[in-house]
Amino acid sequence: MDALTDLIGGFGTALTPTNVGFALLGVLLGTAIGVLPGIGPAMTIALLLPLTRGVEVTSALIMFAGIYYGGMYGGSTTSILLNTPGESASVVTAIEGNQMAKAGRAAQALATAAIGSFVAGTIATLLLALLAPTVAKLAIEVSPADTFALMLLAFIAVTSVLGSSRVRGLASLGLGLMIGLIGIDFTSGQQRLTFGIPELAEGINVIVVAVGLFAVGEALWTAAHLRRKPVEVIAVGTPRMSREDWQRSWKPWLRGTAIGFPFGAVPAGGAEIPTFLSYVTEKKLSKHPEEFGKGAIEGVAGPEATNNASAAGGLVPLLTLGIPTTATAAIMLAAITSYGIEPGPRLFETEPVLVWGLIASLFIGNTALLLLNLPLAPVWARLLRIPRSYLYAGILFFSSLGAYAANASTFDLFLLLIIGGLGFMMRRYGLPMLPAIIGVILGPFAEEELRQALQISNGALSGLVDPMSVVIYVILALILLYPVIRRFLPRRAVVPVLAEAAHEIEEAHHHHGLTSAVSVERHSGDDPRNPGRSTSSRNPGNVDADGGGDGG
């Protein structure tokens, strides 16, 4: 009951005219940005971080949460109308959604996506409000050794599920940790990795890193692969659903919520795997399995509900442990730290107005998404005609403006260009972005917890071991050794549904010509069969290598 009382207080914060305005602005921005291929909510929030420094922290985070949810919905519009998922979580939506659009049922596909997002987002947010305080109370009792082990688990788990290989994931994490270590060591007072440059003594602002990796790196990558063929957009009417569509959608919405929320709440869970699982589950349970691959509405309803439920679930580890599970959550964590607020289990005690106002605003944002996006679907579709060259030129302009505004330093502009170049090279060689940004943000916190644990034990390594951390280390060992263990097990013996999900998605990539942020990370770089040829030239359907459409 305490959680419900706090949630009611949160509505008192979220329903002020200012915060409602920021929530609506975030939803509109997020949907508009999510519709544009290749520009996700993570990049949008990264661009807005320096521009919202003068905004009160609760209002800023409410807007960012609206962008987060709006971007999730906007990505489904791109998947359905263009067969081009802008976010990895929208890959599955494109399988059936685009087939529905080609069959003249784009309006129904968009409607089930919007309503499913609302249903799943509302239920998952209520679960977030009920579960997060309990998780936070338990986490407060966690020792520094346990916290360090938990952060180590987040590092390894993220690098294991993203990118084309664990080596690339670890390389990305290493780059992030190295950037996070730049500056003065507050324990010894010694400078680290500054190379004698005074401007680096205070470290690199996380805003500059986020904008450089996501916005500048993406803009440079898109410019390198830009094409000039206009985008062909399927016409959209007013989204509506028949009685049969409702009957075939409501159960997938609920099942998608049940699948997505737990995966999002697990560190490094993300939304990609649960949306795959939702698709396979709906295919197995459907009374019309023959329609899958040809435009089954269940194949849109389930994954879209899973997507939004996972987004709400991802706020559980973010708000209770200070651990992000997605790139967007990582940028939101950067926003929290940029205001001088320390993330973690004590956030519910130190910043209750912020936390409960943010959670309450999710209900407002979900409702606004439903009310705004159903009638505005044709408007969002027209945004797809904006030429990519104009779009990314504007992104580079605002990136530079934001990086300069963070500290009013021209040196930050040079850093922005260097980190943007690093982001470009990471895309070029298939290194995922999320481990790097998590390394930058959580690296210093992990180092602090490690030092506290060792100080308590007078430097003995036994200080890193207690009952809870042992369990975490066992999980870590299983994650690291799973590829070896899997070789001695029969195929599909451990998790048959996951195996079938992976098979379904591989089929989708081959037969539907899908591309996404994750697929680019996994497949970008030179074609191993022809070292002189970039894989981007093999993208089907004249789709940009970043997952975006062609420039106009």
Side-chain angles (χ1 to χ4, degrees):
M1 293 302 293
D2 289 341
L4 293 177
T5 302
D6 291 332
L7 182 60
I8 293 172
F11 275 107
T13 301
L15 287 174
T16 61
T18 300
N19 288 335
V20 169
F22 275 107
L24 293 177
L25 177 62
V27 167
L28 286 171
L29 276 176
T31 307
I33 292 299
V35 166
L36 297 170
I39 307 178
M43 182 195 295
T44 308
I45 296 175
L47 281 172
L48 291 174
L49 270 180
L51 303 179
T52 55
R53 294 294 288 270
V55 178
E56 200 267 329
V57 59
T58 303
S59 299
L61 285 175
I62 284 175
M63 181 177 68
F64 293 155
I67 292 172
Y68 190 13
Y69 268 34
M72 289 291 185
Y73 173 78
S76 66
T77 302
T78 314
S79 299
I80 292 168
L81 300 182
L82 282 186
N83 199 29
T84 307
E87 288 282 310
S88 61
S90 299
V91 171
V92 183
T93 304
I95 301 174
E96 303 299 330
N98 188 249
Q99 291 299 313
M100 288 182 67
K102 289 179 178 178
R105 285 171 51 81
Q108 287 75 17
L110 290 171
T112 194
I115 300 171
S117 296
F118 170 76
V119 171
T122 302
I123 296 174
T125 303
L126 184 59
L127 292 174
L128 166 66
L130 295 175
L131 296 178
T134 303
V135 176
K137 288 178 182 178
L138 294 174
I140 289 176
E141 306 300 326
V142 173
S143 67
D146 296 332
T147 304
F148 172 72
L150 195 61
M151 289 188 175
L152 198 61
L153 174 62
F155 290 153
I156 299 302
V158 166
T159 58
S160 298
V161 300
L162 293 175
S164 59
S165 69
R166 297 185 180 210
V167 173
R168 289 179 178 177
L170 288 170
S172 176
L173 177 65
L175 288 172
L177 292 173
M178 183 182 69
I179 295 173
L181 290 175
I182 293 175
I184 295 177
D185 177 10
F186 289 103
T187 301
S188 65
Q190 299 294 316
Q191 294 189 10
R192 301 186 298 191
L193 302 176
T194 59
F195 306 102
I197 302 174
E199 289 85 354
L200 291 178
E202 295 183 2
I204 299 178
N205 193 313
V206 69
I207 293 176
V208 175
V209 177
V211 174
L213 286 179
F214 284 95
V216 177
E218 188 72 27
L220 294 176
W221 178 256
T222 300
H225 301 84
L226 195 64
R227 294 172 177 82
R228 294 292 176 182
K229 185 179 177 181
V231 177
E232 296 180 3
V233 183
I234 297 174
V236 182
T238 302
R240 63 192 183 281
M241 294 174 63
S242 65
R243 178 176 293 182
E244 182 186 0
D245 291 334
W246 279 93
Q247 291 175 346
R248 293 178 59 176
S249 295
W250 72 271
K251 288 182 180 179
W253 292 337
L254 297 180
R255 284 192 290 261
T257 305
I259 293 172
F261 185 82
F263 268 90
V266 174
E272 189 180 17
I273 294 175
T275 52
F276 295 170
L277 288 176
S278 175
Y279 180 78
V280 172
T281 301
E282 296 309 323
K283 186 175 181 180
K284 281 183 173 295
L285 298 178
S286 175
K287 297 179 180 178
H288 308 277
E290 71 284 353
E291 292 187 17
F292 277 76
K294 302 176 183 178
I297 194 169
E298 296 94 335
V300 178
E304 272 306 299
T306 303
N307 188 2
N308 264 51
S310 178
L315 293 178
V316 174
L318 176 67
L319 296 177
T320 60
L321 302 174
I323 296 177
T325 61
T326 65
T328 309
I331 303 301
M332 290 181 67
L333 181 63
I336 294 174
T337 57
S338 70
Y339 281 93
I341 299 172
E342 184 174 344
R346 297 193 181 276
L347 194 63
F348 278 79
E349 291 183 358
T350 58
E351 300 288 342
V353 175
L354 166 65
V355 173
W356 289 107
L358 175 62
I359 293 175
S361 74
L362 298 179
F363 289 99
I364 300 171
N366 263 313
T367 305
L369 270 174
L370 182 66
L371 297 178
L372 292 174
N373 285 325
L374 287 177
L376 290 180
V379 177
W380 301 132
R382 292 192 189 99
L383 288 178
L384 293 167
R385 303 183 187 276
I386 296 177
R388 298 283 90 80
S389 54
Y390 297 165
L391 196 60
Y392 283 92
I395 287 174
L396 285 176
F397 172 76
F398 284 108
S399 299
S400 303
L401 182 65
Y404 180 79
N407 294 312
S409 170
T410 54
F411 181 76
D412 283 348
L413 291 177
F414 291 106
L415 281 179
L416 181 72
L417 182 61
I418 293 171
I419 294 174
L422 175 65
F424 174 85
M425 295 305 295
M426 289 175 69
R427 286 167 173 80
R428 170 65 178 79
Y429 291 104
L431 273 64
M433 296 291 115
L434 181 56
I437 196 67
I438 286 182
V440 172
I441 298 172
L442 293 187
F445 290 107
E447 180 188 19
E448 182 181 347
E449 297 295 335
L450 173 63
R451 285 184 169 179
Q452 285 186 9
L454 292 176
Q455 286 170 354
I456 292 172
S457 64
N458 291 322
L461 291 178
S462 59
L464 298 178
V465 180
D466 60 27
M468 180 176 173
S469 62
V470 167
V471 174
I472 297 175
Y473 291 139
V474 169
I475 296 173
L476 273 174
L478 291 176
I479 292 175
L480 293 173
L481 296 176
Y482 176 71
V484 178
I485 298 173
R486 186 176 56 184
R487 294 181 181 179
F488 298 97
L489 297 174
R491 279 189 179 181
R492 304 189 181 187
V494 182
V495 189
V497 179
L498 274 174
E500 185 171 346
H503 174 72
E504 292 287 347
I505 300 310
E506 286 299 321
E507 289 294 317
H509 279 281
H510 288 300
H511 295 298
H512 298 282
L514 298 181
T515 182
S516 70
V518 168
S519 67
V520 170
E521 286 176 353
R522 291 179 175 174
H523 302 297
S524 61
D526 286 341
D527 185 345
R529 295 170 295 182
N530 187 356
R533 184 182 180 192
S534 171
T535 54
S536 62
S537 64
R538 296 184 283 113
N539 269 346
N542 290 327
V543 175
D544 293 341
D546 66 338
D550 304 327

